[in-house]
Amino acid sequence: MKEKLKIDIVSDVVCPWCAIGYKRLEKAIEELGIEDQVEIEWQPFELNPGMPPEGQDLTEHITEKYGSTIEQQQESRENMTDIGEELGFKFDYFEGMRMANTFDAHVLLEYAKDFGKQNELKLRLMNSFFGERKDVSDKDVLKQALLDVGLNAEEALARLDNEEARYEVRNKHGEWKNLGVNSVPTIVFNMKSAVTGAQPVATFKQILGELISE
């Protein structure tokens, strides 16, 4: 039996283009009918490792980090909302929205991988943050997300106090940075080739088609 095409997606839970990139990749996989020939694994990347536990006002954060004006941010959010709608992903930007610290979410995504639930949990957390106005650093929000995808919330949350589990995430994050990943999403195919950003569905179809037929 032919080995599956391994797709690593280096991303963060609070990265809008990661959500868009994944939904476009998913669409490409579905349109090619190769769902059973690919294996997706999410890899940790913290966009803001220094984000305080209480988070930061999103507009203030984007202005500080990228120098974007309020108008530019508004235009960008409207654009992402429209793209999301086309792909069946909800962006609900609101006044007072806050950027969150995502380290705990990454620890839980590593836990979910052991049970084949990583993809489900990743999407659940992205939907919580972008579509349901929830703080994905909040333990109650994380607990609900775990329950929603059928994981043992108590056991999973205990991982957050496990130094080894926390080290593993930091280590993985460091490894990807050492490989040259400095923007997300970075989508890596069989650890041989990679694309960055939310590529169009057609581009993903072309890449996947070539790799699958090899």
Side-chain angles (χ1 to χ4, degrees):
M1 192 177 150
K2 199 177 167 189
E3 268 190 34
K4 288 189 177 188
L5 170 64
K6 175 78 188 298
I7 304 173
D8 288 289
I9 308 176
V10 189
S11 88
D12 203 348
V13 176
V14 292
C15 158
W17 290 107
C18 295
I20 290 168
Y22 171 73
K23 294 303 284 183
R24 285 178 174 169
L25 175 68
E26 182 184 55
K27 198 170 194 292
I29 291 167
E30 282 170 6
E31 287 182 9
L32 289 170
I34 55 169
E35 291 94 334
D36 59 342
Q37 295 175 59
V38 298
E39 179 196 336
I40 290 173
E41 188 175 323
W42 294 89
Q43 301 293 349
F45 193 97
E46 277 186 286
L47 278 170
N48 311 291
M51 184 60 63
E54 70 277 8
Q56 183 186 16
D57 177 83
L58 185 63
T59 303
E60 182 186 284
H61 171 71
I62 299 294
T63 304
E64 263 179 36
K65 191 168 182 178
Y66 304 106
S68 314
T69 64
I70 304 290
E71 291 72 27
Q72 286 168 332
Q73 290 188 50
Q74 189 53 39
E75 196 180 318
S76 172
R77 288 169 189 179
E78 283 170 12
N79 178 39
M80 285 187 287
T81 302
D82 291 345
I83 295 171
E85 211 167 291
E86 284 169 28
L87 295 163
F89 187 89
K90 185 182 176 186
F91 286 103
D92 176 21
Y93 286 102
F94 61 96
E95 192 69 41
M97 187 171 179
R98 296 180 75 76
M99 181 51 81
N101 182 297
T102 56
F103 190 83
D104 284 355
H106 287 300
V107 173
L108 296 177
L109 285 162
E110 285 299 309
Y111 170 85
K113 187 175 71 181
D114 298 343
F115 301 91
K117 296 270 189 180
Q118 195 191 39
N119 210 49
E120 279 178 72
L121 184 61
K122 181 79 176 195
L123 288 171
R124 190 73 213 85
L125 291 169
M126 281 179 158
N127 283 315
S128 297
F129 182 73
F130 288 112
E132 299 167 6
R133 305 189 171 196
K134 288 177 181 166
D135 173 4
V136 288
S137 67
D138 183 283
K139 295 280 196 298
D140 290 334
V141 170
L142 292 171
K143 182 179 181 179
Q144 191 54 56
L146 290 160
L147 293 170
D148 288 346
V149 300
L151 284 165
N152 181 330
E154 221 165 285
E155 185 180 86
L157 291 170
R159 280 272 179 108
L160 300 179
D161 299 318
N162 180 321
E163 266 317 305
E164 204 176 306
R166 298 180 79 78
Y167 172 77
E168 188 187 343
V169 169
R170 280 192 204 97
N171 199 35
K172 274 195 171 185
H173 184 223
E175 281 174 5
W176 287 104
K177 289 201 93 156
N178 288 339
L179 286 170
V181 174
N182 52 28
S183 67
V184 290
T186 293
I187 299 168
V188 184
F189 303 94
N190 275 344
M191 287 303 284
K192 286 178 186 164
S193 59
V195 293
T196 56
Q199 299 291 329
V201 174
T203 303
F204 281 131
K205 281 176 82 169
Q206 189 186 341
I207 294 167
L208 291 165
E210 286 169 8
L211 290 166
I212 288 289
S213 63
E214 271 180 11

